[in-house]
């Protein structure tokens, strides 16, 4: 009998595995992880208490419908529960969006470079990625994205602010773009970093969704709310999109720990958003520090900055790591650096300055 391996879907050939930000080395003198856009603050004590209480019951499945969280979100955003869907992080919900809309022969449009999960989940769905380059200023080229729409397009991601550049699209250009997109194409506004935005010209996706049935908004508890390790995100979308997202969710995917922590975090929002405010202050300090040193840094509205280092990307990442900060290199393109605790940001600024002097 000849040995053959199990047949796998051809779509998976060449699909890269998601590359997480490297953790900080455990054995170095100091090590700060600025590679995954996480929240550097530890969990709030009240949230921790809720998680510990929920852990008492983990012999049971969680509430599959996420009832408590859905009700809380409906109140918080002023939307019907039927317009909500949860998932294992917003990347889980993004995958549900693809499963709900796209398959072989369909096209999915997004900017590039943008969130690295987009090409992966698109190709896993069997659909064809259509990547539209960012403008020279590292911003979504919404005109080119609208031009890229064909009768095969099923879904468009607009990442606002964009990961990894931190750049934003503003209200007028987004509205103009949405006016051009056919109403049977779903536009997903990925607002994973929404709470870090301070530019009033950037629209709140939830307001846009209210007016447009083909717009869905993706949000997460991983960033501003500090629950990255618990894996919970959600979408706000009209019917029948939201219903399709609930259908395509992994059953019981969002743990009870995550659900209860998310509810507790929404109730502790003032405190959490206060922390976001402090990070936004640090962001300004890092941005201005880098610019003063002579770096070209796109204006960022997220909890990270982007340095387009090109061929020097790997060098810079290695120098940072030796200095005790782990950043996120995108080979040959640039480095994304998360805004972290003050000492980590100081160390980064110091290292960036020394790097510029050496070359
Ligand atoms: N969207 C964007 C733009 C992101 O940067 C991330 C996290 N890197 C996510 C979605 C997914 O985050 P999570 O699954 O933790 O909600």
């Amino acid at each position: 009998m000849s040995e053959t391996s199990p047949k796998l879907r051809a779509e998976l050939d060449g699909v890269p595995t998601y590359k997480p930000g490297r953790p900080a080395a455990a054995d170095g003198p100091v090590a700060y992880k600025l590679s995954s856009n996480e929240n550097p603050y530890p969990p709030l004590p009240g949230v921790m208490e809720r998680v510990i209480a929920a852990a008492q019951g983990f012999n049971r499945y969680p509430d599959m419908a996420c009832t408590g969280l859905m009700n809380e979100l409906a109140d918080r955003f002023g939307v019907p529960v039927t317009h909500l869907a949860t998932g294992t992080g917003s990347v889980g919900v993004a995958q549900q969006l693809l499963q709900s809309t796209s398959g072989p022969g369909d096209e999915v449009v997004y900017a590039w470079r943008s969130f690295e999960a987009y090409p992966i989940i698109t190709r896993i769905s069997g659909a064809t990625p259509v990547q539209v380059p960012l403008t020279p200023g590292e911003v979504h080229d919404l005109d080119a994205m609208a031009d890229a729409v064909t009768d095969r397009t099923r879904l468009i991601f607009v990442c606002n602010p964009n990961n990894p550049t931190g750049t934003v699209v503003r209200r007028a250009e987004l509205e103009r773009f949405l006016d051009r997109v056919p109403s049977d194409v779903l536009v997903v506004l990925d607002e994973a970093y929404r709470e870090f935005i301070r530019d009033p010209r950037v629209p709140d996706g939830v307001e846009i969704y209210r007016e447009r049935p083909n717009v869905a908004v993706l949000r997460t508890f991983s960033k501003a709310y500090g629950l990255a390790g618990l894996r919970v995100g959600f979408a706000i979308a009209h019917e029948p999109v939201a219903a399709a997202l609930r259908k395509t969710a992994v059953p019981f995917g969002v743990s009870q720990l995550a659900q209860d922590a998310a509810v507790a975090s929404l109730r502790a929002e003032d405190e959490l958003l206060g922390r976001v405010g402090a990070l936004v202050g640090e962001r300004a300090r890092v941005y201005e520090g880098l610019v003063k040193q002579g770096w070209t840094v796109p204006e960022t509205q997220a909890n990270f900055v982007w340095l387009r280092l090109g061929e020097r990307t790997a060098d810079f990442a290695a120098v940072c790591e030796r200095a005790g900060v782990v950043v996120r290199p995108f080979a040959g393109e640039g480095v994304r650096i998360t805004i972290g605790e003050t000492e980590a940001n100081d160390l980064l600024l110091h290292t960036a300055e020394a790097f510029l002097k050496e070359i």
Side-chain angles (χ1 to χ4, degrees):
M1 209 170 71
S2 70
E3 290 280 321
T4 52
S5 52
K7 286 186 179 143
L8 300 175
R9 290 169 56 223
E11 285 92 346
L12 298 187
D13 291 346
V15 176
T17 303
Y18 186 95
K19 204 168 152 202
R22 294 250 328 273
D27 51 357
V30 270
Y32 294 102
K33 184 181 177 202
L34 302 182
S35 55
S36 290
N37 296 343
E38 292 153 331
N39 192 318
Y41 289 94
L44 287 178
V47 175
M48 185 63 100
E49 270 166 37
R50 286 292 297 271
V51 170
I52 290 169
Q56 310 298 322
F58 68 47
N59 54 313
R60 305 280 177 199
Y61 287 107
D63 171 1
M64 193 173 118
C66 298
T67 317
L69 176 57
M70 296 280 264
N71 288 334
E72 198 83 15
L73 287 169
D75 275 0
R76 166 71 177 72
F77 290 100
V79 300
V81 171
T82 52
H83 284 199
L84 288 165
T86 53
T88 54
S90 55
V91 75
V93 187
Q95 194 146 28
Q96 290 156 236
L97 281 160
L98 276 156
Q99 276 190 303
S100 302
T101 57
S102 309
D106 297 333
E107 293 174 353
V108 175
V109 176
Y110 52 85
W112 200 249
R113 181 170 275 279
S114 189
F115 181 31
E116 70 169 309
Y118 298 155
I120 298 173
I121 59 179
T122 299
R123 286 163 70 182
I124 290 172
S125 78
T128 305
V130 178
Q131 304 191 156
V132 179
L134 297 170
T135 67
E138 313 274 11
V139 181
H140 277 58
D141 188 342
L142 290 178
D143 287 333
M145 287 174 73
D147 290 342
V149 172
T150 70
D151 56 8
R152 294 180 161 197
T153 309
R154 291 289 173 276
L155 186 147
I156 306 173
F157 282 112
V158 176
C159 189
N160 203 26
N162 187 46
N163 174 7
T165 59
T167 51
V168 286
V169 293
R170 304 206 169 102
R171 184 172 290 103
E173 51 183 322
L174 187 57
E175 295 279 8
R176 199 168 54 236
F177 166 76
L178 292 168
D179 287 343
R180 283 189 62 193
V181 174
S183 59
D184 61 356
V185 174
L186 182 65
V187 180
V188 178
L189 304 178
D190 183 344
E191 297 187 333
Y193 303 96
R194 167 72 208 166
E195 298 81 3
F196 295 92
I197 295 175
R198 291 295 178 272
D199 181 343
R201 292 165 296 182
V202 180
D204 179 340
V206 179
E207 297 315 316
I208 293 185
Y209 128 92
R210 290 187 208 283
E211 306 293 323
R212 296 182 184 263
N214 67 329
V215 168
V217 181
L218 262 188
R219 296 279 181 99
T220 182
F221 284 97
S222 296
K223 312 294 178 185
Y225 295 86
L227 303 183
L230 285 175
R231 312 308 301 128
V232 52
F234 61 98
I236 302 179
H238 292 263
E239 301 284 3
V241 176
L245 294 179
R246 294 190 294 270
K247 215 179 265 184
T248 49
V250 172
F252 306 109
V254 181
S255 72
Q256 201 61 49
L257 277 65
Q259 294 181 38
D260 290 1
V263 169
S265 300
L266 285 168
R267 292 183 186 165
E269 205 166 42
D270 287 352
E271 205 172 343
L272 288 168
L273 295 183
R275 291 174 160 192
V276 169
L279 289 170
V280 167
E282 279 294 290
R283 172 177 80 196
R285 192 171 74 82
V286 170
Y287 174 83
E288 283 153 23
L290 289 170
V291 169
K292 211 184 268 170
Q293 289 171 14
W295 291 93
T296 303
V297 194
E299 250 186 75
T300 173
Q301 291 289 312
N303 65 339
F304 49 85
V305 291
W306 170 246
L307 301 179
R308 189 168 279 283
L309 278 138
E311 314 228 298
R312 293 175 297 154
T313 295
D315 271 359
F316 181 82
V319 166
C320 285
E321 191 152 341
R322 281 202 290 280
V325 275
V326 183
V327 298
R328 174 71 166 91
F330 294 89
E333 286 182 68
V335 167
R336 188 192 68 201
I337 306 157
T338 306
I339 304 299
E341 43 280 79
T342 305
E343 316 81 71
N345 303 332
D346 283 343
L347 198 49
L348 182 273
L349 282 171
H350 183 77
T351 310
E353 188 167 33
F355 184 86
L356 269 192
K357 285 192 181 137
E358 268 170 31
I359 52 172

